[in-house]
């Protein structure tokens, strides 16, 4: 059923993100393959799958149960441009759920999203997804304090200034 599809996608995301522990009985990928373009594409696709699943309450619950947050935070920190963007998008959708906000903060997600948003070398889609994720995290009193302490306000101002300096879209 749909729960099996959700669990399979979360397991694939954990493997693709290079999680340090097995998820749903699937061992993490060997370090030598983490640099491979095909694995990078798999990581981004798995994070995109998780982002889509996170659109529903059932999907967010399954992702939470399968400990899908930590691999996304790792991908946000270590992935290529597409992977970081997909992970930030997924974290943004997950941050709509109060329990998942706490899980994202506990996994270090606020800090890594702030770093991504402030990274001038990161793609604009990745930075925009990080900004949305941080906005969702900051909508709660407890998690907003963590976002602020991680430098979220300064990073948001920097991103806004960069966007204004680049001029209007073509």
């Amino acid at each position: 059923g749909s729960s099996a599809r959700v669990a399979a996608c979360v397991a694939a995301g954990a493997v693709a993100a290079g999680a340090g522990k097995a998820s749903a009985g699937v061992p993490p990928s060997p370090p030598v393959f983490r640099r491979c373009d095909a694995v990078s594409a798999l990581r981004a696709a798995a994070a995109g799958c998780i982002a889509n699943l996170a659109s529903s309450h059932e999907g967010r619950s399954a992702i939470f149960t399968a400990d899908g947050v930590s691999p996304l935070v790792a991908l946000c920190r270590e992935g290529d441009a597409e992977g970081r963007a997909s992970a930030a998008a997924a974290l943004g959708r997950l941050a709509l759920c109060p329990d998942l906000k706490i899980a994202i903060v506990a996994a270090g997600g606020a800090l890594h999203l702030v770093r991504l948003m402030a990274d001038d070398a990161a793609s604009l889609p990745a930075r925009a997804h990080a900004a949305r994720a941080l906005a969702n995290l900051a909508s709660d009193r407890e998690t907003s304090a963590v976002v602020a302490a991680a430098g979220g306000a300064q990073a948001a101002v920097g991103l806004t200034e960069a966007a204004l300096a680049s001029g209007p879209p073509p």
Side-chain angles (χ1 to χ4, degrees), residues 124 159-170:
L124 288 177
L159 180 57
T160 302
E161 289 172 344
L164 290 172
S166 68

Side-chain angles (χ1 to χ4, degrees), residues 6-114:
V6 169
C9 190
V10 171
V15 170
K21 61 180 182 174
S23 177
V26 180
S29 58
V32 69
F33 295 118
R34 291 192 184 142
R35 290 177 179 59
C36 176
D37 288 340
V39 173
S40 292
L42 175 62
R43 289 178 181 177
C49 177
I50 293 171
N52 289 337
L53 290 168
S55 297
S56 73
H57 175 72
E58 178 188 29
R60 286 189 297 271
S61 294
I63 292 162
F64 180 77
T65 301
D67 192 26
V69 171
S70 296
L72 291 169
V73 171
L75 184 57
C76 187
R77 180 182 66 239
E78 303 168 351
D80 66 3
E82 187 179 355
R84 292 175 83 191
S86 295
L91 290 169
R93 288 188 177 167
L94 293 174
L96 294 170
C97 173
D99 289 338
L100 285 162
K101 283 182 186 187
I102 304 233
I104 292 167
V105 166
L111 176 62
H112 295 297
L113 287 164
V114 166

Side-chain angles (χ1 to χ4, degrees), residues 106-127:
L111 176 62
H112 295 297
L113 287 164
V114 166
R115 288 180 178 168
L116 176 56
M117 186 172 61
D119 184 356
D120 291 335
S123 71
L124 288 177
R127 294 174 78 187

